[in-house]
């Protein structure tokens, strides 16, 4: 079997007494952290995060700057149709499946969630096509201020390399981070 060996922490496990100063340093360097994705509504954030899988925030922003002025609601997105949506996001990787998922999500938001409201629970978010745990956590954190951790590749690596929350899977790292990060830093930790 080819592949890299499982990632091991390069530092010993971070001691509990080191965690608060670590996050205080991060907060001092970036007191009001924000996602780099550009959005003005919860629906736009959901759409942007859905589109961002396997893509850069820069590339997603480039596409959504043209998409959101013409379709920034589930109804407007559905009115574009598959070909219209694909035309707006074709610069983003995997745009065929992302367009399909986004349109299915729009329909579900209209049918199941108050005529297009983005749900506020992880379970309801994860039931939407193309929305996994990480996407749900980003929406819960950025849109609703929930103390969640969206463990992407970067958070996974930093958590392992610093010894803050070593783990073999993103879920394992997420659960450890939620236990180890002091409450006052948790909302902005990601």
């Amino acid at each position: 079997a080819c592949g890299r060996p499982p990632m091991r922490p390069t530092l010993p496990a971070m001691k509990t007494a080191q965690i608060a100063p670590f996050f205080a340093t991060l907060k001092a360097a970036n007191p009001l952290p924000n996602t780099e994705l550009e959005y003005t509504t919860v629906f736009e954030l959901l759409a942007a995060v859905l589109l961002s899988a396997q893509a850069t925030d820069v590339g997603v922003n480039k596409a959504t700057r043209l998409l959101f002025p013409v379709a920034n609601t589930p109804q407007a997105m559905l009115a574009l149709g598959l070909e219209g949506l694909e035309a707006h996001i074709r610069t983003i990787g995997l745009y065929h499946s992302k367009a399909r998922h986004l349109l299915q999500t729009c329909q579900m938001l209209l049918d199941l969630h108050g005529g297009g409201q983005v749900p506020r629970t992880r379970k309801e978010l994860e039931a939407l096509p193309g929305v996994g745990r990480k996407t749900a956590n980003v929406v819960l954190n950025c849109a609703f201020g929930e103390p969640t951790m969206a463990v992407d590749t970067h958070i996974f690596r930093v958590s392992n390399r610093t010894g803050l929350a070593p783990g073999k899977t993103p879920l394992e790292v997420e659960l450890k981070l939620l236990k180890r990060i002091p409450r006052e830093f948790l909302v902005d930790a990601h």
Side-chain angles (χ1 to χ4, degrees), residues 66-79:
L66 300 173
L67 173 63
F68 290 158
V70 296
N72 68 344
T73 66
Q75 298 90 337
M77 199 78 61
L78 285 167

Side-chain angles (χ1 to χ4, degrees), residues 24-57:
T25 301
L26 294 174
K27 186 168 185 77
N30 189 1
L32 297 170
N34 273 322
T35 177
E36 291 186 17
L37 291 172
E38 297 169 359
Y39 68 96
T40 58
T41 67
V42 178
F43 173 73
E44 285 182 2
L45 174 64
L46 174 62
V49 178
L50 196 150
L51 295 173
S52 73
Q54 310 277 320
T56 66
D57 290 350

Side-chain angles (χ1 to χ4, degrees), residues 44-113:
E44 285 182 2
L45 174 64
L46 174 62
V49 178
L50 196 150
L51 295 173
S52 73
Q54 310 277 320
T56 66
D57 290 350
V58 170
V60 171
N61 288 339
K62 194 174 185 179
T64 57
R65 280 184 203 127
L66 300 173
L67 173 63
F68 290 158
V70 296
N72 68 344
T73 66
Q75 298 90 337
M77 199 78 61
L78 285 167
L80 279 179
L82 185 60
E83 288 181 17
L85 180 54
E86 285 183 349
H88 281 88
I89 66 168
R90 76 177 63 247
T91 57
I92 300 172
L94 307 171
Y95 73 94
H96 291 296
S97 62
K98 289 178 183 180
R100 221 175 31 258
H101 287 148
L102 184 51
L103 291 176
Q104 291 167 344
T105 289
C106 289
Q107 192 63 58
M108 286 180 72
L109 291 175
L110 291 172
D111 294 344
L112 304 174
H113 298 286

Side-chain angles (χ1 to χ4, degrees), residues 139-158:
V139 172
L140 290 170
N141 182 258
C142 295
F144 301 123
E146 296 289 328
T148 61
M149 284 300 300
V151 178
D152 59 13
T153 302
H154 309 293
I155 298 295
F156 183 79
R157 287 181 182 158
V158 168

